[in-house]
Amino acid sequence: PAYVKWTNAPFNTTHYFAIGHSLGGAAAAGALAIEPSLLGGINFDGLFIDLSDVKKSFLMLAGAEHTPTVDPSWAPFSANQSGWYQWLNVTGSSHQNFADLGDWVDLQGLRNKTITPSLDTIWAPRMDYIVKTLVERFFGFVLGENEWSEVPSPTFPEVEYMNGSTTSR
């Protein structure tokens, strides 16, 4: 908000969301913990650095490698939350599937023909659809426009429920 005011940028800073991929996901959680005007946040496949309670709705969406036994930060972060949260993993995805690398590989017809670090087997348009839909549902849920859709579901068999709160938004 201070930067937007200083630059006269045309952004609403009275209520908004913090969303990030990788280190940006950790930054989203950190911002949510200290900025009262944030309504909720999302971490796309990022290691948590600070394990503080964000006290607000938070969606944790990750590749299959984020499990309590493999990732040292997601389980402790989720255990510290007092607000609503969901930890979901997307089977067949890895770190770069949450960026646009998979789209470029598939657009150029290079799937399985090139070395793509941190890119798993999920087809990029399918991953885009999963992420887009879950983000839209999360926004609607936090804004009180819809209920949260439970997973796994027939619509998203790739999405696995790992952990979540029983509290409401």
Side-chain angles (χ1 to χ4, degrees):
Y3 178 77
V4 169
K5 184 177 179 181
W6 180 68
T7 61
N8 291 319
F11 301 117
N12 177 345
T13 60
T14 61
H15 54 281
Y16 54 102
F17 291 85
I19 303 169
H21 172 243
S22 195
L23 185 56
L32 205 61
I34 62 170
E35 178 53 52
S37 57
L38 284 165
L39 301 175
I42 302 174
N43 179 355
F44 294 124
D45 206 58
L47 181 75
F48 288 101
I49 297 167
D50 182 13
L51 303 178
S52 60
D53 181 1
V54 301
K55 300 181 179 120
K56 297 176 186 169
S57 298
F58 200 76
L59 179 60
M60 303 159 59
L61 191 58
E65 74 279 3
H66 288 278
T67 65
T69 56
V70 175
D71 186 303
S73 70
W74 282 51
F77 176 83
S78 65
N80 286 340
Q81 300 315 300
S82 63
W84 181 94
Y85 76 94
Q86 292 282 288
W87 171 0
L88 308 175
N89 285 9
V90 181
T91 303
S93 73
S94 192
H95 195 66
Q96 292 302 332
N97 290 107
F98 291 90
D100 64 355
L101 180 61
D103 293 297
W104 289 106
V105 167
D106 288 343
L107 182 67
Q108 296 176 51
L110 297 175
R111 179 64 67 151
N112 300 320
K113 296 178 186 172
T114 185
I115 298 172
T116 50
S118 299
L119 189 63
D120 210 333
T121 58
I122 194 165
W123 187 49
R126 177 65 181 166
M127 184 68 178
D128 295 342
Y129 176 73
I130 290 169
V131 170
K132 173 189 166 297
T133 304
L134 290 176
V135 168
E136 287 174 346
R137 287 181 183 174
F138 176 73
F139 285 175
F141 171 72
V142 173
L143 295 172
E145 297 170 356
N146 57 265
E147 293 298 316
W148 179 249
S149 301
E150 297 299 320
V151 294
S153 72
T155 307
F156 298 112
E158 309 93 332
V159 180
E160 180 182 2
Y161 172 87
M162 297 300 292
N163 195 353
S165 66
T166 56
T167 61
S168 62
R169 57 179 167 274

